[in-house]
Amino acid sequence: MKNLLSGGRLALLLLCFAGFALYGMYYNSFGANAEVTMAYLGIDEVRNGAIMSVQSVGCLAVAVFLGLFGERLNKILALAVGLGLLGAAGLCIGLMPWLAGGFSLVAGLGFISIDLLTNSVVADVFQGNKNRVLPYVHAFYGGGAMLAPVFVTALVSPERPESFALPYLIIGMAARAAAAALAVTGVRIRGGTPYADMSEIRRRARQNPAEIFKESRAWLFLLSGFMNLAFQTGLTTWLPRYCSEVRDIGFTASGPMVTAYFTGALVLSPLAYAKLGVRRFYRGSLLTSAVLYVLFLLLPMPYWAVAGVIGVMGLPQGATVPTLVIICCDAFPERTASASSIIVFGVSLASLVSPVLMGRIMQDSPQAAMLSITACTVIAALSLPRSK
C-alpha cells in the first residue's frame, strides 16, 4: 500500500479519479439537461436520444480498436488522449452549441477511452491492489454523476435554452487541464510501470489479440454488461423527464433524482467487496435493484420517499460496473485491455440502443418506458458466466 500512495503513482491515481469524475459529470449531464437541450435544438425525445446513439458510434469504434490493439499502447498516455478528446468535445459544444450532435461523436471517443483505459491502467499498474483501487475509481464516476444534475440545474435555465451548453464548456476546460497533467505524469513515471518496455509488450500483444473473444465466457460477459448498462443508461437519461411528467416534480427538483441514485452508489461501492465475493455481490445487487425499482414505479409516494428509494437503489446498483470489470479481468489476466473492452463494448451498445428506444416509448407512455428496462437487471444477473 505504501508504493500505491507514493510519488508519481499517487499523482496517476488522483488523475484517474479526476478523469472518472469528469466522465461521470459529462455523461450524466445529458439526462438532467434533456428538457432544455430539446428546447434549444428544436427536437423531440427520439432525436434527443439519438444524440447518445451518435456518441455510441464512437464508443463502439474505440471498444473494438482497443479490444484488438489496446495491449500495444502505453495506456497512461492513451488515457490522456481520451481525456483530451472529451475536453475538446465539451469546449466545442460550449462554443458552438448548434453542432452539439456532431461533437457528441468526439465525446463518445473520449469518454469511452477513459472508461476502458482507466480500468486497464489500474489492473496493470496497481495489479496487487486492483480489487481495492477500482471501486474507488468508479466511486469517483458516481461522485461526478451525483454532482451532474445539481451542476446542470445551477447553470441551466429553461427560460434561456442556449444555457444548456454552459456545463459542457466548463467540463471541457477541466478535462483538457487534467489531460495535460496526465500526459506529463505518464512520461515521468513510465520507468516504474509495466509500460517501460513497450517493445516486449507489443511483441506479446501481436500474438492473437482477439483470442478472448473465442471463449463463450466473453460473450456472456458482454451480454451481462449490455443488460446492466441498458438499465442504468435508460434510468439516468430519462429519470428526470419521468419525474417531471409523471410525478409532477419540477425541473429544478427532478434533476436531483439522479443525484440521489449516485449518492447511494458512491457510499457503497468502495466497501462492498471485502464482505461479499464479487460474483455474489454482482448478482445480488442487480436483483435487489430490480425489486426496488419496481416498487418505485408502481407505488405512489411523496417526493422525499421517491428520493429515498432511488438513493437506496443506487447503493447496490452503482457498484456493479467495477465489479464486472474485476470479474472479467480476473478471467483474462493477460489481456486486461481486451477484457475491459468487453464491458465497454456492452456499455457502448447499451448507449446506442437504450436512450433512443426508451425515448420512443416515452412519447407514448413514460410509465411503460421506465418499466420496460426492469427485465434488464435480471438478465444481467443470470447471464454472468461461472468461474473456471
Side-chain angles (χ1 to χ4, degrees):
M1 194 68 176
K2 183 178 179 181
N3 290 335
L4 174 64
L5 299 175
S6 61
R9 291 163 68 88
L10 175 59
L12 172 63
L13 184 59
L14 293 176
L15 288 166
C16 286
F17 289 163
F20 248 56
L22 291 167
Y23 165 31
M25 289 184 70
Y26 178 91
Y27 192 81
N28 292 281
S29 291
F30 189 86
N33 219 353
E35 186 174 334
V36 183
T37 302
M38 288 189 292
Y40 176 81
L41 297 176
I43 58 177
D44 60 14
E45 289 87 349
V46 175
R47 292 181 65 189
N48 190 54
I51 292 176
M52 292 198 73
S53 296
V54 169
Q55 288 181 164
S56 300
V57 173
C59 294
L60 289 168
V62 171
V64 171
F65 174 79
L66 291 177
L68 295 175
F69 304 109
E71 303 299 343
R72 305 184 190 188
L73 304 175
N74 180 323
K75 296 171 192 172
I76 298 173
L77 298 183
L79 176 58
V81 172
L83 192 51
L85 286 173
L86 178 64
L91 287 171
C92 289
I93 292 172
L95 297 173
M96 294 174 280
W98 58 92
L99 296 175
F103 292 127
S104 293
L105 177 63
V106 179
L109 294 171
F111 69 65
I112 216 66
S113 297
I114 295 170
D115 196 331
L116 194 157
L117 289 167
T118 302
N119 291 325
S120 192
V121 164
V122 169
D124 288 349
V125 179
F126 306 102
Q127 192 172 47
N129 294 288
K130 75 175 188 300
N131 284 22
R132 283 187 291 171
V133 174
L134 264 180
Y136 283 99
V137 173
H138 283 261
F140 273 83
Y141 174 90
M146 179 184 71
L147 290 173
V150 178
F151 178 64
V152 168
T153 53
L155 296 173
V156 174
S157 170
E159 288 74 35
R160 294 185 300 108
E162 69 279 2
S163 64
F164 90 92
L166 185 55
Y168 300 113
L169 178 64
I170 294 173
I171 293 170
M173 290 189 292
R176 293 291 289 183
L182 184 59
V184 172
T185 300
V187 171
R188 287 182 175 177
I189 70 170
R190 183 172 59 184
T193 70
Y195 315 123
D197 184 0
M198 292 305 300
S199 60
E200 174 60 20
I201 289 174
R202 287 167 183 151
R203 184 191 65 79
R204 292 198 312 268
R206 289 191 187 99
Q207 300 171 3
N208 197 8
E211 64 179 334
I212 70 172
F213 297 99
K214 296 180 180 179
E215 295 196 30
S216 60
R217 289 183 301 162
W219 297 101
L220 289 172
F221 281 128
L222 175 60
L223 175 61
S224 185
F226 170 75
M227 286 296 173
N228 184 6
L229 270 297
F231 172 80
Q232 290 203 42
T233 303
L235 176 72
T236 57
T237 301
W238 292 114
L239 182 62
R241 182 80 166 175
Y242 170 82
C243 288
S244 177
E245 290 196 1
V246 177
R247 300 281 184 172
D248 293 323
I249 299 171
F251 173 78
T252 302
S254 62
M257 288 297 102
V258 177
T259 297
Y261 174 80
F262 281 106
T263 300
L266 184 65
V267 169
L268 186 62
S269 58
L271 308 174
Y273 306 123
K275 301 296 183 182
L276 299 169
V278 288
R279 289 174 175 273
R280 183 182 301 171
F281 174 79
Y282 183 74
R283 288 196 177 101
S285 295
L286 290 170
L287 296 175
T288 301
S289 295
V291 172
L292 291 172
Y293 183 62
V294 170
L295 292 176
F296 155 69
L297 291 176
L298 298 183
L299 296 181
M301 56 186 72
Y303 177 84
W304 63 267
V306 170
V309 171
I310 291 295
V312 172
M313 188 174 71
L315 283 171
Q317 179 74 25
T320 54
V321 174
T323 304
L324 190 57
V325 171
I326 289 170
I327 294 170
C328 199
C329 286
D330 284 344
F332 305 105
E334 300 300 320
R335 297 283 186 181
T336 57
S338 298
S340 296
S341 75
I342 294 172
I343 312 306
V344 172
F345 200 66
V347 172
S348 304
L349 286 173
S351 297
L352 181 67
V353 174
S354 185
V356 68
L357 182 59
M358 284 190 65
R360 176 65 188 87
I361 303 172
M362 285 282 290
Q363 290 182 319
D364 299 325
S365 172
Q367 185 77 2
M370 299 300 280
L371 274 171
S372 68
I373 57 175
T374 307
C376 294
T377 53
V378 177
I379 296 171
L382 298 181
S383 60
L384 184 71
R386 294 181 181 180
S387 58
K388 281 192 172 180

